[in-house]
Amino acid sequence: MTVAPTLPGAVTVRVPAKVNLELRVGPRRPDGYHALATVYQAVSLHDEVSVARWDDWEVVAAGPYAERIPLDGDNLAVRAARLVADRWQVDERVSIRIDKDIPVAGGMAGGSADAAATLLACDHLWGLGLDRDELAELAASLGSDVPFSLAGGNAMGSGRGEQLAPVLARGTFHWVFAISDTGLSTPQVYAECDRLRERDGVDVPEPHVSAELMAALRSGEPAALGAALHNDLEPAAFSLRPQLRELRDAGVEFGALGGVVSGSGPTVAFLTESHEASLDLSVSLAASDLCRDLRRAKGPVHGAQVVPAPRD
């Protein structure tokens, strides 16, 4: 695949993937969304998004997941750029280059990350000087995970997940992410969650983050965090993709401190004791042939950041 180089004058932003340490899904709201309570952690898998002035709206893609990126107006990054241009009456168009290292449709906010990066890049490209609250408001209008992609670190999300609050945490955590061949549709996973709950007659309470998870983050103890990982969407993901349960169980059997489907899946996140333990787990999972790809990362890391331009 031939990809155009980054254009002169481009602003480049580096943006991380996320994992949901806990995801509690409440009742479906009248607007069709579900009430959520979640704790995000940004991890060291990054996309780089470069935005430059151009004579038309354009997306070009590079990286291991480039072939799965939409290159038209359906791309969330294009919508982000148009939103900034429309809101501040900027009569220019941009070319957006996405160097894609975050899995697509994997439950790690890959599309949301690119939208967040584009917001920040357009702000710098056009010299708008937007503050954090203005960027966060734009981000929330684009998608539930976009505000966190801007913020990074650890944060608690409520509402649709877009209302963020800081989380007290300490330590660095080491992850192994098992990547599936094909993605899972987020609306399909939520619909399956609703179907399973209706079938089982589940009375769905308003969601709240558990005290156990918050205490584990404050302690910085990987074992405590591994035991507290939770995702209410996991049964739905397992129903739609039964092999994910086998994969999660295998990872725990191979020594992970805990395993959980990330977001709406199908990526399965495994927490390990250390960098060395993540290497060992990766070797065991690769030998099991239960997933297409494995990535190691650590968290938390910073959110979207402008990459300094190289000096001449």
Side-chain angles (χ1 to χ4, degrees):
M1 181 179 182
T2 301
V3 178
T6 301
L7 294 170
V11 175
T12 299
V13 172
R14 197 165 189 248
V15 64
K18 63 84 177 168
V19 61
N20 295 84
L21 307 179
E22 182 171 33
L23 179 55
R24 302 281 178 176
V25 179
R28 186 170 181 170
R29 307 187 319 195
D31 63 4
Y33 290 99
H34 292 74
L36 299 181
T38 189
V39 177
Y40 299 107
Q41 183 169 101
V43 297
S44 58
L45 299 178
H46 292 89
D47 285 355
E48 287 197 353
V49 178
S50 299
V51 175
R53 292 177 174 88
W54 196 238
D55 55 8
D56 202 357
W57 301 106
E58 175 188 69
V59 178
V60 294
Y65 304 103
E67 293 182 357
R68 297 181 61 190
I69 298 175
L71 302 180
D72 55 18
D74 289 337
N75 191 297
L76 198 58
V78 175
R79 290 168 52 195
R82 286 179 178 270
L83 178 63
V84 177
D86 291 345
R87 184 74 64 90
W88 275 271
Q89 299 179 331
V90 178
D91 188 19
E92 292 183 347
R93 299 178 181 183
V94 296
S95 173
I96 304 168
R97 173 183 164 129
I98 301 174
D99 288 287
K100 192 71 184 162
D101 200 42
I102 302 174
V104 176
M108 300 187 75
S112 295
D114 297 339
T118 302
L119 290 175
L120 186 57
C122 286
D123 174 39
H124 280 254
L125 180 72
W126 292 326
L128 300 175
L130 303 181
D131 63 31
R132 177 176 297 186
D133 289 342
E134 288 173 311
L135 286 168
E137 182 212 343
L138 294 171
S141 73
L142 290 165
S144 301
D145 293 334
V146 182
F148 178 72
S149 295
L150 278 172
N154 298 298
M156 182 161 46
S158 58
R160 293 182 286 111
E162 84 285 8
Q163 300 170 19
L164 300 181
V167 169
L168 291 175
R170 57 186 296 194
T172 297
F173 298 95
H174 298 273
W175 297 91
V176 175
F177 296 98
I179 313 299
S180 295
D181 286 321
T182 56
L184 272 175
S185 159
T186 297
Q188 185 181 15
V189 175
Y190 274 95
E192 181 68 2
C193 176
D194 291 338
R195 187 190 71 82
L196 292 176
R197 286 172 165 180
E198 184 175 353
R199 181 199 67 186
D200 298 337
V202 175
D203 184 20
V204 183
E206 289 298 319
H208 299 281
V209 171
S210 69
E212 291 78 10
L213 186 120
M214 301 300 282
L217 282 172
R218 288 194 300 271
S219 75
E221 292 293 334
L225 183 60
L229 298 174
H230 178 85
N231 183 356
D232 279 351
L233 293 178
E234 208 169 53
F238 288 162
S239 175
L240 295 169
R241 196 77 62 81
Q243 61 268 36
L244 293 179
R245 185 191 300 272
E246 181 184 2
L247 173 59
R248 185 204 59 184
D249 292 348
V252 173
E253 183 178 341
F254 292 149
L257 299 175
V260 68
V261 171
S262 181
S264 57
T267 299
V268 180
F270 296 103
L271 184 63
T272 65
E273 181 69 37
S274 62
H275 172 73
E276 292 74 18
S278 73
L279 288 169
D280 292 342
L281 179 61
S282 295
V283 170
S284 297
L285 285 169
S288 73
D289 201 29
L290 289 173
C291 59
R292 177 182 62 84
D293 191 17
L294 292 160
R295 307 294 301 279
R296 291 180 293 107
K298 64 181 180 180
V301 298
H302 292 295
Q305 293 184 308
V306 175
V307 177
R311 295 181 179 179
D312 295 333

